[in-house]
Amino acid sequence: MFYKFAAVLTTLLAIYVYRSGRAFFHHVLTVPNLPEGYFAGGDYRDHCVVIKDEKDNRLNHCEHITFWDHLDEEDHVTNRFVLLSCDPGRREWNTVTGPMNDPDPFGNLWIYSTEFGSLSPVTLTNYPEGHDFHPIGIDVYPSKAGAPSSLFLVNHARENSTVEQFVLDPAQPTVATHVRTLTSSYFVAPNSIALTSPTSFYLTNDHLMTYRLPRPFGSILSTIETIGGPPLTWVAHVTVLPDGSIEHKFAALGIAFANGVALSRDGLQLAVASSSLAKVNFYKRDPSTNDLTLDRDVVVPFGPDNVMYDDDDTLIVAGHPHFPSFVAVVENKPGAKAPSWAVSIRPIAASEDGESEGRKNSRSLKKAGYDSRAPLSASVIAPASSTDEVETIFQSDGSVYGTATTGLIDSRTGIFYLTGLYEDGVLVCYPGPRNV
Ligand SMILES: *[C@@H]1O[C@H](CO)[C@@H](O)[C@H](O)[C@H]1NC(C)=O
């Protein structure tokens, strides 16, 4: 039975390896010629610092970061925190890439004040005893006029992956109070969350064949799925009902390795990273039904991990340019480092639609060499998009900062934040030089 299943699967995979040949060539077979470090805002040596937990060295292996905004009555941002989802034990417990040896040491959340530049661990209260804590994707609703916020996160617990609901109160921002654990047989490999209200969210499911399958199938099949890119994963929309039960509906099917997800500020567009095919899908969202319609996709020069909108609805995408290097880091090979790349994706202004053919042609000629400032231009790897502008924000061969997962830009200050799945600390790059 299992062998028959595997045979059918192999055939399907052969078809999709063909379809994902471009991504396979660039992100598996070719080592990208990346610089030690590059930041679009200026020399990385004096613009970027890695902020660490100097005391206990626990701010490590962070998967996700998101802003927690405090708004006034008029929805103006009065204060902004960065919330970080980290797991120093990731080398022993990673349900996406393996290994799954030891789920015991808990991961942790951190909160960073953009106002004071101060970092604190977040303590969990009311957390169920004996329940593992391995946070991956997180999202938190903004706090309006001092009201508490709801925080949801994906938890890669030992038996199965769950979604945890917490409350974060601006009066006590370093304490997250647990509300409930959501579990569902639809949560096969949940990864990333984008809230649509304080009690509902989009949720990506990154694999159909997961590392959790019995050995050796788990590691083999999930790796085949990662590299082959069969369209077996999805985005769901989940609503938590007042009694704590959930309503689950499939919102977008047929995605290859659906990874990060983000909702635009106006709530009308959803971005979903398709890691295996090295592209980002943009869906139009119907806010009344949460239904999604594919609008366009944009190729990026790496396997995108998480996607985050900035204040101007420019999408920041971070990810992994070279899969085998990433695996070498996961496997803790001596001296292994895995590169990082982060880009912005911005729709080409609508006004340009009405331009003459001649201008269009000259623009597409120019676009062939888009992203011309970066040491390794995205244009060398990813064909130019006719709908969107792609530009490098940060790149590194892994020596300055590797295994990039989430990039964030605070549009108010121009500060760029980046997490690395196997890095210690978070990279912060300032628009001006730092004399540190
Ligand atoms: C996931 O595991 C927990 C703890 O063992 C269990 O209570 C829950 O029912 C499981 N969920 C599913 C969908 O199997």
Side-chain angles (χ1 to χ4, degrees):
M1 167 62 199
F2 219 110
Y3 291 103
K4 206 164 166 188
F5 176 67
V8 171
L9 220 62
T10 313
T11 312
L12 284 176
L13 285 170
I15 296 168
Y16 285 106
V17 164
Y18 166 74
R19 191 182 57 131
S20 64
R22 199 197 59 79
F24 186 77
F25 176 77
H26 284 294
H27 308 304
V28 179
L29 297 184
T30 316
V31 180
N33 187 18
L34 288 161
E36 277 185 9
Y38 164 77
F39 172 53
D43 190 338
Y44 75 89
R45 291 178 208 86
D46 52 27
H47 285 64
C48 303
V49 290
V50 177
I51 295 180
K52 293 187 182 177
D53 168 23
E54 304 292 351
K55 193 162 147 272
D56 301 315
N57 194 30
R58 299 262 307 149
L59 180 80
N60 298 342
H61 303 174
C62 303
E63 206 269 351
H64 210 168
I65 32 172
T66 186
F67 289 131
W68 179 32
D69 283 347
H70 296 182
L71 310 176
D72 64 14
E73 293 286 358
E74 280 83 47
D75 284 343
H76 298 122
V77 178
T78 54
N79 201 352
R80 173 169 279 174
F81 291 91
V82 182
L83 208 60
L84 303 103
S85 151
C86 310
D87 198 343
R90 196 179 310 283
R91 285 191 191 281
E92 291 302 317
W93 188 257
N94 183 334
T95 68
V96 185
T97 57
M100 290 175 66
N101 296 334
D102 182 9
D104 278 333
F106 278 12
N108 47 34
L109 301 180
W110 289 81
I111 189 163
Y112 175 81
S113 159
T114 63
E115 192 178 350
F116 302 111
S118 58
L119 189 68
S120 319
V122 174
T123 40
L124 310 181
T125 60
N126 199 35
Y127 196 71
E129 205 161 323
H131 188 36
D132 301 312
F133 189 68
H134 293 287
I136 304 291
I138 48 172
D139 199 10
V140 60
Y141 216 69
S143 160
K144 187 152 172 165
S149 290
S150 71
L151 161 69
F152 284 85
L153 59 86
V154 172
N155 180 15
H156 284 179
R158 79 186 68 194
E159 299 86 359
N160 53 53
S161 294
T162 55
V163 174
E164 309 294 336
Q165 183 181 354
F166 292 88
V167 168
L168 261 189
D169 190 343
Q172 233 186 335
T174 58
V175 177
T177 307
H178 190 258
V179 177
R180 58 171 67 93
T181 298
L182 308 178
T183 178
S184 162
S185 47
Y186 293 119
F187 297 170
V188 178
N191 188 304
S192 187
I193 287 181
L195 290 173
T196 49
S197 81
T199 53
S200 62
F201 50 87
Y202 287 105
L203 178 68
T204 54
N205 189 93
D206 62 52
H207 279 72
L208 181 62
M209 299 173 287
T210 79
Y211 219 91
R212 290 183 187 276
L213 291 171
R215 286 174 206 229
F217 299 106
S219 69
I220 295 170
L221 293 179
S222 73
T223 305
I224 291 176
E225 188 176 337
T226 301
I227 295 177
L232 298 177
T233 71
W234 61 87
V235 180
H237 188 266
V238 175
T239 305
V240 184
L241 303 172
D243 68 357
S245 64
I246 62 168
E247 212 174 75
H248 177 282
K249 99 176 175 180
F250 290 103
L253 294 164
I255 303 168
F257 196 157
N259 198 333
V261 61
L263 185 66
S264 62
R265 301 261 153 188
D266 62 11
L268 297 177
Q269 181 171 272
L270 193 80
V272 179
S274 172
S275 298
S276 298
L277 297 189
K279 62 184 193 177
V280 178
N281 293 351
F282 290 90
Y283 297 86
K284 285 201 164 89
R285 166 176 178 251
D286 180 339
S288 60
T289 59
N290 289 302
D291 290 345
L292 301 175
T293 322
L294 185 63
D295 180 42
R296 63 190 195 281
D297 56 43
V298 175
V299 178
V300 289
F302 49 84
D305 198 320
N306 286 316
V307 291
M308 299 300 280
Y309 282 100
D310 74 1
D311 301 75
D312 308 320
D313 271 349
T314 294
L315 192 74
I316 315 301
V317 189
H320 315 288
H322 190 235
F323 183 66
S325 305
F326 182 77
V327 171
V329 169
V330 171
E331 291 175 350
N332 220 355
K333 296 249 164 73
K337 54 182 185 172
S340 287
W341 201 326
V343 297
S344 60
I345 301 182
R346 198 178 284 115
I348 293 165
S351 64
E352 292 182 25
D353 286 353
E355 71 196 347
S356 69
E357 268 318 300
R359 276 200 51 201
K360 250 185 207 154
N361 287 342
S362 78
R363 186 161 53 80
S364 60
L365 275 180
K366 211 169 71 212
K367 277 191 67 66
Y370 74 98
D371 192 36
S372 52
R373 290 174 59 215
L376 178 58
S377 166
S379 65
V380 172
I381 293 167
S385 158
S386 60
T387 53
D388 293 73
E389 211 78 66
V390 175
E391 197 176 2
T392 296
I393 302 168
F394 179 86
Q395 55 186 204
S396 169
D397 62 6
S399 44
V400 170
Y401 199 77
T403 59
T405 48
T406 314
L408 271 185
I409 284 184
D410 189 339
S411 308
R412 305 169 313 160
T413 56
I415 298 175
F416 171 67
Y417 300 87
L418 187 71
T419 51
L421 200 61
Y422 289 90
E423 282 285 343
D424 292 353
V426 54
L427 180 83
V428 184
C429 297
Y430 300 85
R434 312 286 291 176
N435 295 315
V436 285

